[in-house]
Amino acid sequence: MHFPAGEPTTSSQVTSSNFADADTKLKFRRHKPVWNESSSDEPPAGQRYSTWPFIEKGMRGPQPYPLWLIEDAGAVDTELGILKTGKEGDVFLLERATQERSSLLAAKRYRSRDHLQFSRSQAYSDGRSARRSRDNRAISNNSAYGRDIAALQWANAEWTYLLRCYEAGISVPYPVQIDGTEILMEFIADPDNSLAAAPRLQQLARFDSRLPALWDQLTDALEKFAGLGIAHGDLSAYNLLVSGERLVVIDVPQCVDLAGNPQGMDFLHRDCVNLCEWFDSKGLSHDPDELFASLLGHLF
């Protein structure tokens, strides 16, 4: 999303988000951005100076950077509200702004160990392991240290898969940066309301005229996933966003390696079944076994 120069947004402009529940209102922080770089005072609650200048280059998104991305050291991040909650973490709406311009970002934050309740099945992470055996044991024992390591692992997994998918041409949010267990990414907006999140595919009506084109985009994304040797592993109409004519895949930390994970093919077939059943319910019939067989031809 890009906002014209000289027209920074404020938290009071942002409307309700369809990213979570359709009628959920964002709980806004009523603070105006502060750009006094000479001051040693910290910004008020709900704000911070942009973390971009302190992020190592390897922890930033791929170049060329999108035009809407703000690199200015004097930018201020303002938290506008929560978009989505989950057991592993929450997604917040963040405005990064200077005096001249602003952009909205989605900030996914994996929870601290005191509030962490990981629900991801171990089956997703088969084939992955921590570098140190001590870390693997701690994760298996669900110790406080193990939960910290698990949060870092899932954040790093999501960041890695976002990068791989984006660079392979899969329609995912642009990955802006990762800082510990926080990932900043492109905010996928509703074209009819640039300050509202795009609806999920699940919300589309049965006879929506975009459905055939969205199916084509979906199969293209699945083929590219297979070309990387991975499956989304949890793909359904709930983690696909529809931004006008564009279909966007979200929630990728559980992606599975089709060669290294013993259940990889089962996850891929389940994705095919879930998606075909949903489109069938909307009047577009597709055979999940045929889709699965066609994807096998795109492996690696």
Side-chain angles (χ1 to χ4, degrees):
M1 178 185 302
H2 174 66
F3 293 92
E7 297 183 16
T9 62
T10 65
S11 58
S12 60
Q13 291 177 287
V14 185
T15 59
S16 61
S17 167
N18 289 325
F19 192 93
D21 297 324
D23 298 324
T24 300
K25 296 288 186 179
L26 295 174
K27 298 178 181 179
F28 303 124
R29 308 276 190 181
R30 302 289 184 177
H31 299 304
K32 295 182 179 180
V34 178
W35 290 279
N36 184 4
E37 297 177 58
S38 63
S39 172
S40 60
D41 295 336
E42 291 296 320
Q47 288 188 317
R48 68 187 184 192
Y49 294 114
S50 171
T51 54
W52 177 267
F54 311 105
I55 300 297
E56 297 179 8
K57 290 185 178 180
M59 300 293 100
R60 295 175 181 175
Q63 296 190 38
Y65 297 137
L67 294 177
W68 51 261
L69 193 151
I70 296 176
E71 302 176 59
D72 305 56
V76 171
D77 293 346
T78 302
E79 189 174 303
L80 301 181
I82 192 164
L83 294 170
K84 179 184 178 184
T85 60
K87 291 185 177 181
E88 296 94 354
D90 302 315
V91 182
F92 296 84
L93 184 62
L94 200 73
E95 179 188 50
R96 178 162 286 178
T98 66
Q99 288 179 312
E100 290 75 29
R101 64 194 187 105
S102 68
S103 65
L104 294 177
L105 303 172
K108 186 167 185 178
R109 298 169 185 162
Y110 284 84
R111 289 204 182 96
S112 66
R113 68 187 185 191
D114 295 332
H115 302 93
L116 195 61
Q117 296 179 356
F118 268 97
S119 63
R120 302 282 184 187
S121 169
Q122 180 65 35
Y124 287 115
S125 55
D126 280 351
R128 307 181 198 170
S129 63
R131 292 184 178 181
R132 299 188 300 177
S133 58
R134 176 198 173 196
D135 293 344
N136 288 321
R137 288 195 302 271
I139 293 171
S140 297
N141 294 333
N142 197 33
S143 67
Y145 173 75
R147 291 195 296 272
D148 280 345
I149 295 298
L152 284 169
Q153 280 189 338
W154 282 105
N156 288 330
E158 178 148 30
W159 174 255
T160 298
Y161 284 121
L162 273 176
L163 286 176
R164 291 183 65 187
C165 290
Y166 182 84
E167 292 175 335
I170 299 173
S171 183
V172 295
Y174 175 81
V176 174
Q177 66 180 65
I178 182 172
D179 185 12
T181 56
E182 180 189 71
I183 299 174
L184 297 188
M185 65 188 82
E186 175 188 4
F187 173 63
I188 306 301
D190 185 338
D192 295 330
N193 182 352
S194 61
L195 299 177
R200 303 182 191 198
L201 179 64
Q202 177 67 26
Q203 296 172 245
L204 267 60
R206 176 178 172 84
F207 298 107
D208 194 297
S209 61
R210 295 171 291 179
L211 288 172
L214 292 174
W215 170 260
D216 291 340
Q217 291 182 54
L218 176 59
T219 55
D220 178 71
L222 288 170
E223 289 170 0
K224 289 175 178 174
F225 268 107
L228 292 174
I230 60 177
H232 184 283
D234 192 29
L235 199 54
S236 73
Y238 288 96
N239 44 33
L240 292 164
L241 302 182
V242 181
S243 179
E245 303 294 327
R246 177 190 176 195
L247 187 73
V248 182
V249 181
I250 60 170
D251 196 19
V252 297
Q254 76 295 309
C255 283
V256 295
D257 186 325
L258 292 174
N261 190 309
Q263 300 181 59
M265 293 299 176
D266 293 333
F267 281 117
L268 178 60
H269 187 264
R270 189 180 69 178
D271 285 349
C272 294
V273 171
N274 288 341
L275 295 166
C276 287
E277 286 182 348
W278 187 85
F279 274 91
D280 185 64
S281 73
K282 300 300 180 182
L284 293 177
S285 180
H286 298 283
D287 188 324
D289 291 327
E290 288 184 7
L291 175 60
F292 178 71
S294 71
L295 295 178
L296 294 181
H298 292 271
L299 282 177
F300 315 108

